[in-house]
Amino acid sequence: MSVPNVVVHRDADVLAKAVAARIITRLVDVQSARGSASLVLTGGTVGIATLAAIAETPARDAVDWRKLDIWWGDERFLPSGDKERNETGAREALLDHVDLDPERVHVMRGPDSGMTAEESADAYAQELRKAARPEDHGPVPSFDVMLLGMGPDSHVASLFPGNPAVYDTRPVVAVHGSPKPPPVRISMTFPTLQASREVWVVAAGEEKAGAVRLALSEDSGRMQVPAAGARGRQRTLFLLDRASAAKIPPGLGRIASP
Ligand SMILES: O=C(O)[C@H](O)[C@@H](O)[C@H](O)[C@H](O)COP(=O)(O)O
């Protein structure tokens, strides 16, 4: 797994715009090399603000949206269209404004599908397995970029400290008892997160500074500090604003942007 690199931006607004530009550039590079690309979305304010910033970027259509697979790292187990679903936020911010192939937008199903949370997690795992290729050497695709927001308790996706999901090795699981509402969620697990070529953790605000410090500390365990397990196979980025970067251990490789 890759050692995290840290990039610090002035504030949450600049951070979202900078991450948007970084995603566009990365997707264009991947598509020019391999023809298609895959992006895993996250919920949360920074995650959705980043999608909105992509929508507003004139260069956005350098991405071939028809050749992009969209996945989610987690989803709140709520009916389709519910304003609290991560999918709803993503569609409003970006997905409804670009020409995606609907077959390549992979949604985690809610209770209106008639499935339980466990059945929805299993269905998503099957969809991941179907998309995996021999060169991925496992039950899930090697995502090009996985975006992860991070909570003040250092949760990523819906992997909360000490929750049974952090111990689970299946690709996708149902999460119960989430301390962040709603209580029932669907989440990719650490093995799936870590199958990504690149993992980008995005966080803003002073309330995240402690979690960032823990997440970047070598002796943090991912069971109690889930963001410590947010690592890509080839690259891990922590994309922060100054407030959330305020407690980073000295000497860590960081690029402070103006
Ligand atoms: O369903 C969710 O809420 C997200 O997937 C969750 O992992 C989120 O990214 C973090 O809680 C950060 O959220 P904020 O950026 O809003 O603090």
Side-chain angles (χ1 to χ4, degrees):
M1 285 189 299
S2 52
V3 174
N5 285 330
V6 177
V7 182
V8 181
H9 294 282
R10 189 179 64 226
D11 56 37
D13 182 53
V14 172
L15 173 64
K17 290 182 171 70
V19 178
R22 188 182 285 272
I23 288 172
I24 291 168
T25 303
R26 185 75 193 127
L27 294 180
V28 169
D29 285 353
V30 169
Q31 288 182 332
S32 58
R34 276 195 272 114
S36 67
S38 56
L39 174 63
V40 184
L41 303 183
T42 181
T45 47
V46 181
I48 298 299
T50 295
L51 300 184
I54 293 175
E56 290 157 15
T57 304
R60 77 181 200 197
D61 291 331
V63 175
D64 183 344
W65 297 102
R66 300 294 293 184
K67 297 207 177 77
L68 177 65
D69 280 295
I70 296 277
W71 303 87
W72 273 267
D74 73 328
E75 185 57 275
R76 301 151 186 207
F77 193 60
L78 298 167
S80 179
D82 186 298
K83 64 178 176 44
E84 289 305 311
R85 275 178 64 91
N86 294 335
E87 173 202 4
T88 309
R91 288 190 184 281
E92 288 170 0
L94 175 64
L95 309 190
D96 289 350
H97 308 290
V98 290
D99 181 26
L100 290 161
D101 176 351
E103 295 295 309
R104 302 182 75 159
V105 180
H106 308 277
V107 169
M108 291 175 162
R109 299 288 171 209
D112 53 319
S113 65
M115 288 190 273
T116 64
E118 282 70 15
E119 289 163 342
S120 176
D122 291 346
Y124 210 67
Q126 284 170 31
E127 203 166 340
L128 286 164
R129 179 175 292 280
K130 218 164 68 179
R133 292 161 303 177
E135 58 269 29
D136 295 319
H137 302 297
V140 302
S142 305
F143 308 111
D144 293 301
V145 177
M146 175 173 288
L147 273 181
L148 290 171
M150 187 189 71
D153 62 356
S154 87
H155 79 259
V156 289
S158 287
L159 300 173
F160 294 90
N163 185 288
V166 300
Y167 299 92
D168 209 307
T169 54
R170 289 170 294 171
V172 187
V173 292
V175 175
H176 295 274
S178 164
K180 176 175 184 181
V184 184
R185 293 159 165 258
I186 313 292
S187 185
M188 289 182 176
T189 57
F190 285 122
T192 304
L193 271 52
Q194 293 169 2
S196 305
R197 290 186 174 89
E198 300 201 12
V199 168
W200 302 0
V201 176
V202 293
E206 60 182 346
E207 72 278 9
K208 307 292 176 71
V212 165
R213 179 182 180 84
L214 285 172
L216 295 172
S217 302
E218 280 178 7
D219 51 3
S220 289
R222 68 182 191 199
M223 305 312 178
Q224 292 308 320
V225 183
R231 299 292 187 269
R233 283 192 293 122
Q234 296 168 5
R235 193 181 196 204
T236 303
L237 292 177
F238 273 63
L239 304 171
L240 309 173
D241 72 345
R242 285 179 185 159
S244 63
K247 296 179 179 172
I248 286 179
L252 201 88
R254 58 183 279 182
I255 311 159
S257 76

